[in-house]
Amino acid sequence: MTQAFRIGDARSAALRFTFDGKTYEGRAGDTLASALLANGVHLVGRSFKYHRPRGILSAGSEEPNALVTIDRGCGRVTPNLRATQVELYEGLAAHSQNRWPSLVFDLGAAAGLASRLLPAGFYYKTFMWPPAAWRHFYEPLIRRAAGLGQAPRDPDPDFYAQQYAHCDVLVIGAGAAGLAAAVKAGCAGARVMLCDEQNAFGGSLLAEPQARIDDTPATEWAARQIESLRAMPDVRLLPRSTAFGMHAQNFIGIVERVSDHLAEPGNPPRERLWQVRARRIVLATGAHERPLVFPGDDRPGVMLADAARVYAHRHGVLVGRRIVVAAAHDSAYAAALDLQRAGAHIALIADLRDSHEFSMVEEARVAGLNISRAAEIVATSGRRRVASVRLRMRDGTMQTVACDALLMSGGWTPSVHLLSQARGALRFDDALQAFAPGALPPDISCAGACNGSFGLAAAIAEGQAAGRDAATASGFPTSASAAPLVDERPSFVRQQAHTPTSAPHPKAFVDFQNDVTSADIALAVREGFRSVEHIKRYTTTGMATDQGKTSNMNALDIAAREMGRAMSEVGLTTFRQPYTPVTFGALAGPARGDLYEPVRHTPSHEWALRRGAIFEDAGQWKRASAFPRDGEKLEAAVTRECRTVRECVGVFDASTLGKIEVAGPDALEFLDRMYVNDVSKLVIGRCRYALMLGENGFVMDDGIVGRLDAHRFHVTTTSGGLAHVLAHMEDFRQTEFTDLRVWLTDVTEQWATFAVQGPRAREIVAPLIEGVDVSAGEAPHMSLREGQILDAPLRLFRASFTGECGFEINVPSGAGPRIWEALTQRVEAVGGCAYGLEALDVLRAEKGYIIVGQETDGSTTPDDLGYGRMIGRAKPDFIGKRSLTLPHLARPDRPQLVGLLTRDPAAVLEEGSQIVPSPRPAIGAHALGHVTTARRSPTLGRTIALALVENGRARLGDTLYATATTGMLAVEVGAPVFYDPSGSRLDG
Amino acid sequence: MLLIRCPFCEMDRPETEFRYGGEALIERPDPARATDAEWTDYLYNRTNPKGRHAERWRHLHGCGRFFNCLRDTVSDRVLATWRPGERSPEEGGA
């Protein structure tokens, strides 16, 4: 095929492209849509629900029908692109969507034959029972039949940039109004950004060859404006850039398509996400033409009238040779006249309005156009493309007119999407029969068609005023200047009070993308839906990826009429982001793969990698679960590591522990108020296990408070609790205990922490350490010493989270890997080993040591854990103290931490399972508590569990039952310490 | 994303630098004297107004300081920020 619908001379280079594998020719400057139309191709897709043949409706981003998949090879596959926005390049490969086996012969179209069986709310009504059928049968079936393009399977090889920007004035839309505003603000010296979703600036001027501004063609005026903007140093121009989201305080998301239009993209990012903060925003986003609703309105070749004008003027493409124009708005006449001049035959202008006298009607008559007064469009015919339209005329006669394109002119809807997102008010304009800007948010103004002001002169005047005001308001005062002289066709504001549509009809489509008909909307109203938001959700009208740009007003019109109410009363649905679909790539930017989230490595990480450790994620940390040897499975490695610690010695990297240095003359008093313990008695060189409560009396965190000197403390937190604990401490330090002189510093990253634990721990560390006598007498359990280890500064905590004699060696992180190597070498030389998080969890559970967040759940008190004795009750105050006396925290039947032993010593309980008093509790019976930890204990040779059980300490020796997937398991309640209850091993 | 003026840094900074800290101007009762009702009111009851709301924010990824903020919960606009202990705009401060 050789571009049979191309007009004019060969202005630009020919480009070859394929659509569904077939090769066509287009020209530079084409969109995929214009290139297909040049080749007479109107059928480009199948509809979402009924698989009806669909064509190209529009020439812009509002396109609901012509969605295609572009395949650039190597995983560069993008579905659901609007053919009207895809710029043609040599070799472009496009595919139609939602058809099988082919676009022309589609089996799914059988759904169209059954469309009477698929009305609004069909899903809700039909696919109810049986419940399992939805997941296994209905949904997969519907998903396959209905839909858009296929999501790409391969990872996206492109990269996406993100950039923040600030400006004084952001102008969105570079048509006449936007250009005028940007020039005005730029001349005043303001920092200006101007963005437009199209590849070229100029908006409607790009297809307006007849209008003149200051006695030059409007297109030249536009080029001059762009040229002057380019010359301004503080102006940034962003073509191919869609402002898709407005946030609070003029924060705007703009996606710039950087390289999709290039045949050889080279190495730029594919897209760039701009996050712009603008002092002032001028919205110059134009308007969308409204389709008409009539039976068969979705046939390929039925298009918006102004789109046909754009294709003729901008792309040199006729959408048809024999055209019928259906007019409900004056602008239809401009389209008809322009297309006639371009060489098309206008078979008929069917004016659907009550009155249609204005100057261009006469012009059309003089031009020889056939104008007739029609009452409604009854039907269309044609398989791959419209072939005729059947009209009922005002005089009652029927008329069938042959055509190869049917143009609809239903009036114009201001594009108020972004304004609405920014919480600007909308008001119903009776003259426009559309919603126009009402009360504006501060710092946002609207100019031109999006403001409901149609015509070139109005657009430029409003644009200049908006640019001037925005510049002045952002500190660049400028004065008014004379508006240019504009010679244009009559302004197009007159339209029918109601867009004329036939009675609700099951083939009269309102929302093309979601296949919603006027009959569906009428049905929703009949079934009692009154709120336009409910009608939208029930029928899905306006909910497709085009966000109802062409359908919302028609849907509202029909709903209002069915309800017998005015459109202004019915109101509008909320506009949501994004204005047009945005790729995940643009939103994610570089934050994917390794850059998705920072990864934190412990000082022993390299060593652990070399040893083939199994890692687990703990927050952002990579922590070693275990260090398997010789093909050991995880379970076997954990068992070996536990035994080694109990019988010999192990070393564990605890560097992830949060560490806060608390310093100042009042540091002691501050800590005394932050922890439940009586810290005031803590002497220099000692440390203490301490509990931190929230003000509500529940356990928030635990850790060790060590006193380095009179005014300096080294405090640890749980690995995951650091940020929260530090914020909590800062809060009270800054806003409540302002009388205390104390400072907090997060030193987590400064100190590496290695725990050497086991009966032989002392002999491991002793030879390495200088300046500290580590003998049991000189450095007893819970002592804190400073010295040197292998020439590195050392803070040595005699602490244990295993129940064995323990040394927690804190060294500066930089020395960490070296010290770790030295420790593991010595440990392994005596038959010890490094142990991981899994072994630690078993060892601490054997001792009944809690983990905050595992044994506690945000409603656990110290006494619930059996730690009541730690509370410094004599202290006048500490955070949470007052709450502990509240009745529900002092209740006797609170859950209490206990140990559970299963009757079957091999059975491992499930963490989180319920504890009940009998093996067959009544349905709905109250559970006594739940299992918090369940482990196999190599030391005891059986399984153990910890649980929070109502009044648990009074139940020691009782048999209770735990739920399990295999049935109820009998358990005996005991103390939560399974190993060395006297603590005799702690001093080694 | 809000733009919030840190009263310590005296700069407008993006919301992502800050952390919300709950309702402001809630006085911690004297724990020794407060009745259970007064104490639970302090712990759990908040005003949740439609309109002007006094809040605490912390410039977490900046100076780290807590400060007070008056925000309109309808328009989501920050009306004023001030340092703790200073007079609020409604008391004639800021």
Side-chain angles (χ1 to χ4, degrees):
Chain A
M1 217 182 265
T2 53
Q3 305 192 52
F5 290 82
R6 186 73 69 178
I7 51 172
D9 46 79
R11 286 173 297 188
S12 48
L15 299 172
R16 272 164 310 158
F17 70 101
T18 64
F19 180 63
D20 281 344
K22 187 170 172 184
T23 302
Y24 296 93
E25 201 170 84
R27 299 212 176 274
D30 266 335
T31 60
L32 175 60
S34 71
L36 287 167
L37 291 170
N39 289 285
V41 177
H42 275 260
L43 170 60
V44 294
R46 289 275 172 177
S47 74
F48 183 73
K49 203 156 95 179
Y50 304 130
H51 289 241
R52 288 173 68 89
R54 288 285 163 81
I56 295 158
L57 180 75
S58 72
S61 64
E62 71 270 38
E63 178 60 39
N65 277 341
L67 301 185
V68 295
T69 297
I70 301 294
D71 187 348
R72 309 198 73 170
C74 311
R76 292 181 166 87
V77 179
T78 313
N80 307 332
L81 288 173
R82 291 156 300 283
T84 50
Q85 285 192 299
V86 173
E87 292 178 55
L88 201 68
Y89 52 82
E90 177 66 30
L92 178 136
H95 303 275
S96 61
Q97 301 181 163
N98 200 31
R99 78 307 192 248
W100 187 83
S102 77
L103 181 57
V104 174
F105 177 73
D106 178 77
L107 284 178
L113 304 176
S115 66
R116 278 181 190 282
L117 305 175
L118 294 168
F122 169 70
Y123 298 154
Y124 310 119
K125 293 165 185 163
T126 310
F127 300 132
M128 295 281 283
W129 303 101
W134 174 256
R135 193 154 63 86
H136 298 296
F137 180 68
Y138 296 132
E139 195 190 4
L141 195 71
I142 293 167
R143 289 248 174 267
R144 209 174 313 127
L148 300 165
Q150 301 269 321
R153 285 170 194 282
D154 298 321
D156 186 344
D158 283 314
F159 78 98
Y160 296 79
Q162 293 188 337
Q163 186 154 347
Y164 287 95
H166 292 259
C167 65
D168 297 312
V169 182
L170 169 67
V171 182
I172 300 174
L179 286 172
V183 168
K184 203 71 192 149
C187 284
R191 287 175 306 163
V192 176
M193 291 180 78
L194 173 63
C195 70
D196 194 288
E197 62 182 359
Q198 298 206 51
N199 59 345
F201 284 176
S204 65
L205 297 181
L206 294 168
E208 198 63 73
Q210 283 145 37
R212 296 178 75 81
I213 302 172
D214 279 343
D215 229 19
T216 56
T219 43
E220 271 175 43
W221 177 85
R224 274 211 316 277
Q225 309 305 306
I226 296 163
E227 213 169 292
S228 75
L229 286 168
R230 281 218 178 89
M232 295 180 198
D234 285 336
V235 173
R236 188 188 285 280
L237 303 179
L238 294 174
R240 298 187 179 89
S241 299
T242 304
F244 63 87
M246 303 277 277
H247 301 255
Q249 288 176 283
N250 282 2
F251 188 66
I252 306 97
I254 299 173
V255 69
E256 179 188 3
R257 291 171 293 279
V258 182
S259 60
D260 266 2
H261 62 290
L262 303 172
E264 302 287 342
N267 201 28
R270 181 181 176 212
E271 294 179 337
R272 182 179 289 119
L273 177 71
W274 291 86
Q275 295 175 81
V276 180
R277 182 78 70 172
R279 276 183 210 277
R280 302 274 310 196
I281 294 175
V282 177
L283 293 174
T285 47
H288 294 125
E289 195 169 24
R290 201 181 305 168
L292 301 170
V293 181
F294 53 87
D297 58 356
D298 66 330
R299 207 172 294 283
V302 182
M303 302 179 67
L304 294 171
D306 205 64
R309 232 168 51 79
V310 168
Y311 286 119
H313 289 314
R314 207 173 152 188
H315 301 292
V317 171
L318 282 182
V319 300
R321 291 283 178 193
R322 185 183 163 82
I323 296 172
V324 171
V325 180
H329 187 267
D330 292 346
S331 61
Y333 286 83
L337 282 162
D338 284 11
L339 290 166
Q340 187 197 34
R341 248 173 246 133
H345 172 61
I346 305 300
L348 181 69
I349 298 177
D351 200 316
L352 298 153
R353 299 175 295 178
D354 295 329
S355 123
H356 63 284
E357 290 308 319
F358 84 122
S359 62
M360 283 185 82
V361 175
E362 196 44 42
E363 193 186 336
R365 286 212 179 93
V366 170
L369 295 186
N370 179 15
I371 305 167
S372 72
R373 302 188 60 191
E376 64 172 330
I377 303 169
V378 178
T380 62
S381 75
R383 229 172 76 75
R384 290 186 214 175
R385 181 170 178 175
V386 65
S388 74
V389 53
R390 188 161 171 78
L391 300 157
R392 190 166 58 77
M393 311 310 288
R394 289 262 161 180
D395 59 13
T397 59
M398 304 296 284
Q399 194 178 336
T400 302
V401 186
C403 61
D404 62 355
L406 170 58
L407 304 186
M408 304 180 281
S409 173
W412 293 85
T413 308
S415 173
V416 290
H417 305 70
L418 296 177
L419 177 68
S420 174
Q421 285 179 19
R423 304 187 186 189
L426 303 176
R427 63 179 173 84
F428 190 76
D429 185 314
D430 279 321
L432 293 174
Q433 284 295 302
F435 286 90
L440 296 174
D443 309 325
I444 295 181
S445 51
C446 299
C450 77
N451 201 28
S453 305
F454 289 89
L456 202 45
I460 294 175
E462 284 194 8
Q464 287 184 330
R468 190 177 61 235
D469 292 350
T472 305
S474 50
F476 300 90
T478 177
S479 55
S481 56
L485 279 172
V486 176
D487 177 14
E488 60 176 324
R489 288 189 283 207
S491 178
F492 307 133
V493 292
R494 256 174 18 120
Q495 58 196 46
Q496 186 77 351
H498 284 298
T499 310
T501 55
S502 326
H505 189 282
K507 290 286 194 298
F509 286 85
V510 177
D511 182 327
F512 295 113
Q513 200 171 105
N514 266 355
D515 267 355
V516 180
T517 67
S518 57
D520 289 329
I521 293 167
L523 177 65
V525 173
R526 271 208 312 285
E527 291 186 358
F529 290 92
R530 288 294 175 271
S531 154
V532 66
E533 293 283 355
H534 293 159
I535 292 170
K536 166 177 147 179
R537 282 159 182 74
Y538 190 59
T539 62
T540 73
T541 187
M543 290 174 69
T545 65
D546 65 341
Q547 299 241 356
K549 290 185 185 66
T550 55
S551 62
N552 276 347
M553 290 308 295
N554 283 333
L556 179 57
D557 189 12
I558 294 163
R561 253 180 307 149
E562 291 296 314
M563 285 188 259
R565 295 165 67 194
M567 280 166 86
S568 54
E569 290 170 47
V570 176
L572 203 57
T573 55
T574 312
F575 288 101
R576 299 180 194 282
Q577 297 188 32
Y579 178 71
T580 45
V582 179
T583 61
F584 283 114
L587 297 175
R592 56 181 184 162
D594 288 345
L595 297 181
Y596 177 67
E597 197 182 28
V599 175
R600 303 177 79 179
H601 289 162
T602 60
S604 65
H605 191 75
E606 291 300 319
W607 185 93
L609 275 180
R610 285 203 307 276
R611 290 303 183 92
I614 298 170
F615 288 96
E616 64 190 85
D617 291 333
Q620 294 173 336
W621 290 103
K622 292 277 174 214
R623 303 195 69 178
S625 310
F627 302 89
R629 289 178 178 173
D630 310 323
E632 271 177 338
K633 291 265 192 299
L634 176 68
E635 176 96 32
V638 172
T639 302
R640 173 183 51 73
E641 289 172 11
C642 286
R643 287 212 175 105
T644 308
V645 172
R646 291 271 180 250
E647 290 160 14
C648 180
V649 62
V651 56
F652 174 80
D653 189 342
S655 303
T656 63
L657 282 177
K659 304 167 201 87
I660 302 170
E661 195 150 306
V662 183
D666 298 316
L668 184 70
E669 171 65 19
F670 177 74
L671 291 171
D672 210 35
R673 295 187 197 177
M674 296 311 299
Y675 286 94
V676 302
N677 313 61
D678 186 358
V679 182
S680 66
K681 295 199 180 74
L682 189 65
V683 299
I684 296 168
R686 295 289 295 175
C687 58
R688 181 167 299 182
Y689 173 75
L691 276 181
M692 176 177 278
L693 307 186
E695 189 74 294
N696 58 11
F698 298 126
V699 173
M700 194 178 111
D701 202 68
D702 65 354
I704 285 179
V705 175
R707 189 168 191 181
L708 293 161
D709 61 39
H711 299 148
R712 185 177 298 271
F713 294 79
H714 181 120
V715 175
T716 69
T717 75
T718 55
S719 296
L722 171 73
H724 185 44
V725 168
L726 194 58
H728 173 78
M729 285 183 163
E730 275 293 344
D731 192 349
F732 279 93
R733 187 188 77 84
Q734 290 183 30
T735 67
E736 194 61 44
F737 303 143
T738 51
D739 55 319
L740 300 182
R741 290 160 303 162
V742 59
W743 291 270
L744 309 172
T745 309
D746 173 9
V747 294
T748 303
E749 304 259 313
Q750 275 62 44
W751 293 98
T753 306
F754 305 131
V756 183
Q757 309 268 312
R760 298 179 71 176
R762 183 170 284 111
E763 68 179 87
I764 297 297
V765 300
L768 304 176
I769 291 176
E770 283 173 61
V772 181
D773 180 348
V774 297
S775 67
E778 287 305 309
H781 184 57
M782 299 313 272
S783 60
L784 165 59
R785 299 286 181 266
E786 289 183 274
Q788 301 263 310
I789 179 167
L790 298 172
D791 302 323
L794 166 71
R795 287 180 180 175
L796 181 69
F797 285 74
R798 279 281 287 105
S800 172
F801 198 45
T802 60
E804 299 300 323
C805 171
F807 295 82
E808 289 188 359
I809 290 168
N810 286 267
V811 293
S813 307
R818 176 169 67 87
I819 308 294
W820 174 264
E821 295 269 358
L823 287 171
T824 48
Q825 231 166 49
R826 282 189 60 76
V827 163
E828 288 178 349
V830 300
C833 69
Y835 63 99
L837 206 51
E838 290 294 307
L840 178 71
D841 196 41
V842 174
L843 295 165
R844 67 92 200 168
E846 289 171 346
K847 285 289 292 179
Y849 294 148
I850 64 151
I851 288 181
V852 171
Q854 181 139 353
E855 271 64 54
T856 72
D857 62 2
S859 67
T860 311
T861 68
D863 187 64
D864 295 347
L865 299 169
Y867 292 173
R869 65 185 187 284
M870 284 169 51
I871 300 172
R873 296 184 193 276
K875 293 199 285 186
D877 189 18
F878 60 84
I879 304 303
K881 182 182 187 212
R882 176 66 182 81
S883 293
L884 293 177
T885 64
L886 292 173
H888 64 286
L889 275 79
R891 240 175 39 214
D893 60 343
R894 286 193 58 83
Q896 293 169 339
L897 188 71
V898 293
L900 297 181
L901 291 175
T902 46
R903 190 170 288 164
D904 170 5
V908 185
L909 294 177
E910 291 162 30
E911 288 177 359
S913 66
Q914 303 292 304
I915 308 294
V916 289
S918 80
R920 281 191 196 76
I923 288 174
H926 171 71
L928 296 174
H930 67 277
V931 175
T932 60
T933 294
R935 285 292 190 170
R936 253 181 250 286
S937 163
T939 315
L940 275 69
R942 58 155 299 137
T943 65
I944 56 171
L946 297 171
L948 283 166
V949 175
E950 244 175 54
N951 207 11
R953 290 195 287 269
R955 297 180 193 268
L956 298 190
D958 289 3
T959 296
L960 297 174
Y961 296 86
T963 57
T965 45
T966 51
M968 291 290 182
L969 291 173
V971 295
E972 187 182 317
V973 181
V977 184
F978 302 95
Y979 181 69
D980 188 29
S982 67
S984 62
R985 301 178 65 87
L986 289 168
D987 258 321
Chain B
M1 183 163 60
L2 295 174
L3 210 53
I4 299 170
R5 185 163 189 82
C6 172
F8 291 98
C9 300
E10 298 186 332
M11 281 193 286
D12 291 327
R13 306 297 301 168
E15 187 182 338
T16 46
E17 290 186 10
F18 298 86
R19 186 67 57 87
Y20 180 64
E23 185 167 356
L25 313 180
I26 292 172
E27 203 163 323
R28 185 173 191 255
D30 178 350
R33 292 167 197 270
T35 63
D36 283 358
E38 285 164 349
W39 190 256
T40 49
D41 185 54
Y42 155 69
L43 286 179
Y44 298 114
N45 291 333
R46 297 296 180 263
T47 57
N48 193 26
K50 180 178 181 178
R52 291 156 81 86
H53 188 221
E55 305 175 334
R56 295 167 359 118
W57 285 77
R58 185 180 178 208
H59 195 187
L60 182 63
H61 302 293
C63 63
R65 305 292 291 270
F66 282 87
F67 59 88
N68 294 321
C69 169
L70 192 66
R71 187 175 62 96
D72 189 312
T73 58
V74 177
S75 66
D76 198 22
R77 291 209 158 234
V78 172
L79 306 173
T81 56
W82 68 99
R83 299 179 184 198
E86 288 180 351
R87 288 190 305 167
S88 75
E90 295 190 328
E91 299 163 334

